[in-house]
Amino acid sequence: MIPNNLICPLCSSPLNVKDKAFVCGGERPHSYDMASSGYVNLLPPGKMKNAKTGDGKDMLRARIEFLSGGYYDVISNRIADHIAETLRGRSSVSIVDAGCGEGYHLCNITSRLEKQFDVSAVGIDASKHGADMGAKSARAKKLPVFFAAGNIFSLPIASRSADVLISMFAPIGGDEAARVLTDDGILVVCASGVRHLWEMRSIISDEPREITKGIKCPEGFEEIDGSRVFDRAFIPDGDTIKNLFTMTPFYHRCPYEGRERLMATDKLDITIEANVAIFKKI
Ligand SMILES: C[S@@+](CC[C@H](N)C(=O)[O-])C[C@H]1O[C@@H](n2cnc3c(N)ncnc32)[C@H](O)[C@@H]1O
């Protein structure tokens, strides 16, 4: 499903579909080709840092393989339930997931919400590979979710066009959230809880630290709801443990010995702990 709230990353005018491209209505129209998988690259062209911001193919592949095992569904289910409860009574919901990665969670959230609402969802990520993988998943699952490569801090989304902006384990652009949300829209933020993945972190580090940062309320918003997700899961094989490790930031910053210890582990009980906060504009 093609959303009607995409805008040009260069001139911010609305994008319309023409043949297999998105074309803006600016004086000198800019055009963005749709890939065969169905995603569109709306990263502002020519910015070198675009290439460096998004997660790499190996991380994304590991993430989709791990998440497909359902280990984190408890988190995306909770997010969907919060949205359903907060927006109860509405018939349709427009969702944007900013920093959606390979889109597993957005697809899961959409498929849960579809039972209650007419859903239109857009996943945005700096990684083109992520947007490509998301588009393929949504197509395979026949879900009304569209994916675009784009920047969280300059979203290619029209102002006041989204009922829900999701930020899951991703950087938050508070100003952009305020801009794209409707006046009664909600910002849903999900971040790691105190002992998230504690057992894995205890293997890779001699002194694992509790995650005490919490979720900060962005300026211009107030918290209206939230909850803590807590679950335990058993990982029965080394490949799945490796996928879990590869999809986390520890993949890039873990001492050699810790990595070796984890790679020699063939089963693991893990704690899954996350905080979800729901904000509305003041
Ligand atoms: C830890 S991953 C979380 C992905 C997904 N939300 C999940 O929970 O599985 C963070 C994501 O944010 C994306 N990201 C980081 N900075 C970004 C930016 N400035 N614009 C768009 N995406 C960004 C990365 O490419 C990555 O996919």
Side-chain angles (χ1 to χ4, degrees), residues 43 53-56 59-60 63 67 72 97-105 124-127 130 149-155 166-171 190 247-249:
L43 284 163
T53 332
D55 280 357
M59 281 184 104
L60 291 158
R63 193 175 296 142
L67 295 175
Y72 278 16
D97 183 356
C100 62
E102 59 349 277
Y104 178 88
H105 294 306
I124 306 278
D125 200 279
S127 164
N151 188 348
I152 288 169
F153 300 102
S154 176
L155 287 165
I166 299 173
S167 172
M168 263 184 104
F169 303 112
C190 173
M247 73 181 226
T248 66

Side-chain angles (χ1 to χ4, degrees), residues 20-278:
K20 290 210 161 149
F22 285 87
V23 183
C24 78
E27 248 173 56
R28 296 163 117 214
H30 304 107
S31 173
Y32 306 88
D33 289 340
M34 210 185 316
S36 57
S37 61
Y39 88 93
V40 63
N41 180 5
L42 297 179
L43 284 163
K47 298 224 167 127
M48 268 313 284
K49 63 177 184 198
N50 284 341
K52 292 181 197 149
T53 332
D55 280 357
K57 241 183 185 170
D58 46 355
M59 281 184 104
L60 291 158
R61 209 170 279 137
R63 193 175 296 142
I64 200 146
E65 277 181 30
F66 178 81
L67 295 175
S68 301
Y71 296 101
Y72 278 16
D73 286 6
V74 63
I75 305 177
S76 44
N77 288 346
R78 178 72 63 83
I79 288 177
D81 292 348
H82 270 297
I83 295 171
E85 173 62 24
T86 313
L87 302 186
R88 199 162 24 127
R90 298 201 194 180
S91 55
S92 62
V93 179
S94 154
I95 302 175
V96 174
D97 183 356
C100 62
E102 59 349 277
Y104 178 88
H105 294 306
L106 182 58
C107 285
N108 194 31
I109 290 166
T110 300
S111 110
R112 209 165 160 96
L113 289 175
E114 261 199 322
K115 293 170 193 140
Q116 193 174 330
F117 305 96
D118 191 1
V119 182
S120 162
V122 188
I124 306 278
D125 200 279
S127 164
K128 287 186 270 177
H129 301 305
D132 185 50
M133 288 162 82
K136 286 176 181 155
S137 300
R139 188 176 277 178
K141 295 174 183 166
K142 296 190 170 55
L143 289 168
V145 188
F146 186 85
F147 288 87
N151 188 348
I152 288 169
F153 300 102
S154 176
L155 287 165
I157 299 288
S159 300
R160 296 200 156 111
S161 68
D163 302 309
V164 181
L165 187 92
I166 299 173
S167 172
M168 263 184 104
F169 303 112
I172 304 170
D175 290 350
E176 276 299 82
R179 181 184 67 77
V180 304
L181 282 171
T182 55
D183 287 344
D184 52 0
I186 54 169
L187 168 65
V188 180
V189 181
C190 173
S192 300
V194 177
R195 289 210 158 209
H196 187 49
L197 304 180
W198 183 255
E199 299 77 6
M200 183 186 85
R201 295 194 282 120
S202 303
I203 293 175
I204 59 180
S205 163
D206 295 330
E207 289 177 11
R209 283 195 214 141
E210 293 194 329
I211 302 164
T212 51
K213 223 167 103 193
I215 298 175
K216 216 174 129 213
C217 180
E219 211 173 301
F221 287 87
E222 66 179 342
E223 189 165 343
I224 54 165
D225 199 1
S227 63
R228 169 175 171 257
V229 180
F230 185 88
D231 199 13
R232 303 269 304 159
F234 174 65
I235 305 184
D237 63 88
D239 285 347
T240 309
I241 294 170
K242 189 170 174 211
N243 282 334
L244 172 62
F245 174 67
T246 307
M247 73 181 226
T248 66
F250 305 111
Y251 178 58
H252 291 301
R253 50 173 167 87
C254 167
Y256 176 79
E257 302 75 32
R259 181 186 295 252
E260 289 299 291
R261 277 196 301 269
L262 189 69
M263 290 307 116
T265 307
D266 62 1
K267 41 180 99 54
L268 189 64
D269 273 307
I270 49 161
T271 298
I272 293 164
E273 187 179 357
N275 293 311
V276 180
I278 314 293

